[in-house]
Amino acid sequence: MSLKVYADRTAQPSRAVLIFCKVNGIKFEEITVELAKQQQFSPEYKAINPLKKLPAIVDGGFKLSECHAILIYLASAFPGVPDHWYPTDLQRRAKINSVLSWHHLNLRHGGAPFVLNTALAPVMGLPLNPKAAAEAEKILSRSLATLEKVWLNGNGPFLLGSFQPSIADLSLVCEIMQLELVDKKIKDRLLGPHKKVQRWIESTRNATNPHFDEVHSFLIEVKAKIGVLTALPSKM
Amino acid sequence: MMTRLKVYADRMSQPSRAVLLFCRLNRLDFHEIKVDISKRQQLSPEFKEINPMEKVPAIVHGNFNLFESHAILIYLATAFPGIADHWYPADIHRRAKIHSVLDWHHSNLRHGALTYVVNTVLAPALGRPLNPQAAAEAEKVLLSSLSKLENIWLKGDGAFLLGGFQPSIADLSMVCELMQLEVLGEKDRSRILTPYKKVLQWIEDTRTATNPHFDEVHNILFKVKRKFQEQRLREANSGPEPNNMGGSSKM
C-alpha cells in the first residue's frame, strides 16, 4: 500500500484525514504516532516530518504535513473523489480556502488550547492551565458565534450554504468534536446557543458515517483515561 | 464582461501588501480601495457588506466577494490568465508543499510576528494598550517560527521557500509578514533577525525578485518606521512623550 497516514486519533486534524480517506475508499496504512508518549519527537518520525506534528502522509516517496494541505492533496490526487469535497469551480474552491484559512487562528486557536487546558493535558503529561483555558474559551466562543452567523449562512446544512460537505466541514467539525473530552455541562453551555452549529455537526456526521463514529470512538477511551487520571490522589 | 477587480486593503496590513504586490507583479487590472484600520474604517457598514469579518484584505471580482489573503492569492493566481506557473504551480506535489507552508504560517509566523509587533509598538495607533506579557509570549512563537524557516522551510537549492528557484505566493505572504518588523527599534529588530542568515538573504532575494513593486507597496511602512525612529530619538533626548501616532491621517 503506497499511502501511509501518520496519525493519533486523539488529535482533531488526524481524525479529519482518516475519515476523508475512509469515506472516499482511499487505501492507506494507518500508523499511530502516540502524542501521549511523545512519539512525534522520535528520530524516526522526525525523518517523516521535521516539524514533529501530526498528521503527516507519505505517498510513494512524497511526504506532506499540515492537515488542510493533506486533504487538498488527497482530494486532487486520488481518482473518484467527488467534486463536492474540494470543487474544481474556482469561486467555490476559493470560499472553501477562505474558511480553511480562517480556521487556524479562530476555531482551532480557541478550541485546541481550551480542551487541552480544561481536560486533556494530564493525558499528555502536562499540567492543566485554567488561565490559558479561560483565554482560549473567549476565542472559541467568538468562533462558534461566527460559524453560526456567517459561515453557516445559506440554504444548505454545510459551510458556505452548501448541500454537500467539503474538506472544510470535515476539518472544522473534527475540531469541535474535541469538546467531547470536556464535562458535558461545559460542552452544552458552549454549543447550546448555536442551533445551526449543532445541526451542522449532525449533518456532517450523517454524511460521513459509519466512518465518523468509528474514528471518533477513540475519544471514549481518551475520556476514560482522563477520568482515571483526575481521580488519582493529588500527589501527582 | 467582469467588472474591474477591486482590492480593499490597508498597506500597513501585511496580508494586504502581499495581495497588492501580487496584483502589481502580474499587471492585473485592479482598483485599490484604501480601508484605513487606524481610523477603524473596516468597521463601517459599507465595508461590512464587502467582508462581514471586518478584515482586510478583501476583493470583489464582479459579484464575487472573497476574504483571507491566502484564499485571495490562490484565486487570483488561478482565475486570471497568463500568471507565471511559479506563483502557484499546477504540479500537484509542488502545490501541496506550498499549501503546507501557507497553513503553517497562520499559527506560527503570523501569530508570532503580528502579536509581537502590535504589543511592542503598534497597539496605540490602533487604540489599544501595549501588552508586554503578550509580547513576551509572542516573541517565543516568532523565534521558533524563524528557526523553522531557517532550518526547514528554506532548505534546498533555490533562494525561496521549499527550495524554489522562483518565488511563490507563499514567499510573498511570509516576507510581507516579516517586513512588519521594520517598525521595531533597530536594536530589537537586529536582535531578533540577525541569527537567521538564510531568512535575511531570502527577504532580500524576494525583494530583488519583486522590485520596484516591493518597495513601492512597502513605502508607507518605511514612512511609519521613520516616524517611530524620530519619536524614539526625541524620547531618548528628552524623556517619553505622549503617543501621537494614533489615527494619524498623515500616514
Side-chain angles (χ1 to χ4, degrees), chain B residues 172-201:
Chain B
L172 287 185
S173 173
M174 261 147 263
V175 171
C176 284
E177 191 68 56
L178 282 171
M179 286 303 288
Q180 203 78 344
L181 300 180
E182 291 285 325
V183 304
L184 300 174
E186 203 46 50
K187 249 202 243 151
D188 208 17
R189 182 177 173 270
S190 241
R191 174 181 62 80
I192 291 170
L193 283 177
T194 308
Y196 305 102
K197 307 286 177 225
K198 277 196 198 172
V199 170
L200 287 168
Q201 185 61 54

Side-chain angles (χ1 to χ4, degrees), chain A residues 50-51 62-66 68-69 72-73 76-77 90-91 94-95 97-98 101-102 104-105 109 146 151, chain B residues 52-53 64-68 70-71 74-75 78-79 92-93 96-97 99-100 103-104 106 111 133 148 152-153:
Chain A
L51 291 167
F62 177 65
K63 295 177 191 160
L64 189 65
S65 66
E66 294 294 324
H68 294 171
I72 292 171
Y73 173 76
S76 326
L90 290 182
Q91 293 189 351
K95 295 273 185 176
N97 287 335
S98 191
S101 256
W102 171 88
H104 292 279
L105 285 176
H109 192 52
T146 304
W151 294 116
Chain B
M53 303 289 201
F64 176 64
N65 291 23
L66 188 65
F67 53 90
E68 289 295 330
H70 293 173
I74 291 171
Y75 173 75
T78 43
I92 194 179
H93 295 103
K97 293 278 182 174
H99 290 152
S100 193
D103 275 350
W104 171 87
H106 294 278
H111 180 54
Q133 202 201 331
K148 293 197 171 73
I152 298 173
W153 296 115

Side-chain angles (χ1 to χ4, degrees), chain B residues 209-228:
Chain B
T210 58
N211 257 344
H213 306 290
F214 187 95
D215 283 352
E216 196 276 322
V217 159
H218 282 89
N219 214 350
I220 187 174
L221 185 71
F222 296 138
K223 280 199 187 134
V224 170
K225 175 188 172 128
R226 274 194 298 275
K227 275 203 175 167
F228 276 119

Side-chain angles (χ1 to χ4, degrees), chain B residues 90-119:
Chain B
D91 174 79
I92 194 179
H93 295 103
R94 286 176 62 203
R95 186 173 276 201
K97 293 278 182 174
I98 286 171
H99 290 152
S100 193
V101 69
L102 286 173
D103 275 350
W104 171 87
H105 176 54
H106 294 278
S107 324
N108 292 278
L109 184 63
R110 173 127 183 98
H111 180 54
L114 173 68
T115 313
Y116 184 75
V117 174
V118 164
N119 286 296

Side-chain angles (χ1 to χ4, degrees), chain B:
Chain B
M1 190 186 120
M2 196 71 103
T3 54
R4 203 178 182 206
L5 174 70
K6 293 193 186 104
V7 178
Y8 294 80
D10 181 334
R11 290 174 175 219
M12 280 305 293
S13 134
Q14 312 82 305
S16 287
R17 293 196 295 267
V19 171
L20 291 171
L21 192 46
F22 182 84
C23 290
R24 297 251 175 163
L25 285 163
N26 289 287
R27 302 195 227 291
L28 301 186
D29 183 26
F30 75 105
H31 182 40
E32 178 180 349
I33 297 163
K34 183 172 180 176
V35 180
D36 194 329
I37 298 185
S38 71
K39 294 182 186 168
R40 322 274 178 278
Q41 287 177 355
Q42 75 278 20
L43 304 176
S44 73
E46 297 79 28
F47 186 67
K48 203 167 175 186
E49 290 283 305
I50 305 292
N51 181 7
M53 303 289 201
E54 300 165 341
K55 301 239 160 149
V56 286
I59 63 166
V60 178
H61 192 211
N63 56 8
F64 176 64
N65 291 23
L66 188 65
F67 53 90
E68 289 295 330
S69 75
H70 293 173
I72 293 172
L73 288 165
I74 291 171
Y75 173 75
L76 295 176
T78 43
F80 283 79
I83 308 279
D85 184 74
H86 63 82
W87 289 114
Y88 188 60
D91 174 79
I92 194 179
H93 295 103
R94 286 176 62 203
R95 186 173 276 201
K97 293 278 182 174
I98 286 171
H99 290 152
S100 193
V101 69
L102 286 173
D103 275 350
W104 171 87
H105 176 54
H106 294 278
S107 324
N108 292 278
L109 184 63
R110 173 127 183 98
H111 180 54
L114 173 68
T115 313
Y116 184 75
V117 174
V118 164
N119 286 296
T120 36
V121 180
L122 287 182
L126 306 168
R128 284 151 39 188
L130 296 173
N131 184 336
Q133 202 201 331
E137 283 165 19
E139 188 180 336
K140 289 189 203 141
V141 176
L142 173 55
L143 293 176
S144 167
S145 304
L146 287 168
S147 173
K148 293 197 171 73
L149 279 163
E150 184 81 5
N151 298 305
I152 298 173
W153 296 115
L154 288 167
K155 243 186 152 160
D157 295 330
F160 301 100
L161 290 168
L162 305 159
F165 287 93
Q166 287 177 293
S168 71
I169 55 177
D171 297 278
L172 287 185
S173 173
M174 261 147 263
V175 171
C176 284
E177 191 68 56
L178 282 171
M179 286 303 288
Q180 203 78 344
L181 300 180
E182 291 285 325
V183 304
L184 300 174
E186 203 46 50
K187 249 202 243 151
D188 208 17
R189 182 177 173 270
S190 241
R191 174 181 62 80
I192 291 170
L193 283 177
T194 308
Y196 305 102
K197 307 286 177 225
K198 277 196 198 172
V199 170
L200 287 168
Q201 185 61 54
W202 163 59
I203 295 171
E204 228 10 75
D205 290 335
T206 304
R207 188 181 178 191
T208 305
T210 58
N211 257 344
H213 306 290
F214 187 95
D215 283 352
E216 196 276 322
V217 159
H218 282 89
N219 214 350
I220 187 174
L221 185 71
F222 296 138
K223 280 199 187 134
V224 170
K225 175 188 172 128
R226 274 194 298 275
K227 275 203 175 167
F228 276 119
Q229 279 173 332
E230 284 158 17
Q231 186 182 331
R232 278 182 208 113
L233 213 51
R234 284 196 301 269
E235 283 177 5
N237 291 335
S238 59
E241 56 187 49
N243 193 299
N244 61 359
M245 298 302 296
S248 168
S249 58
K250 296 183 196 101
M251 276 200 207

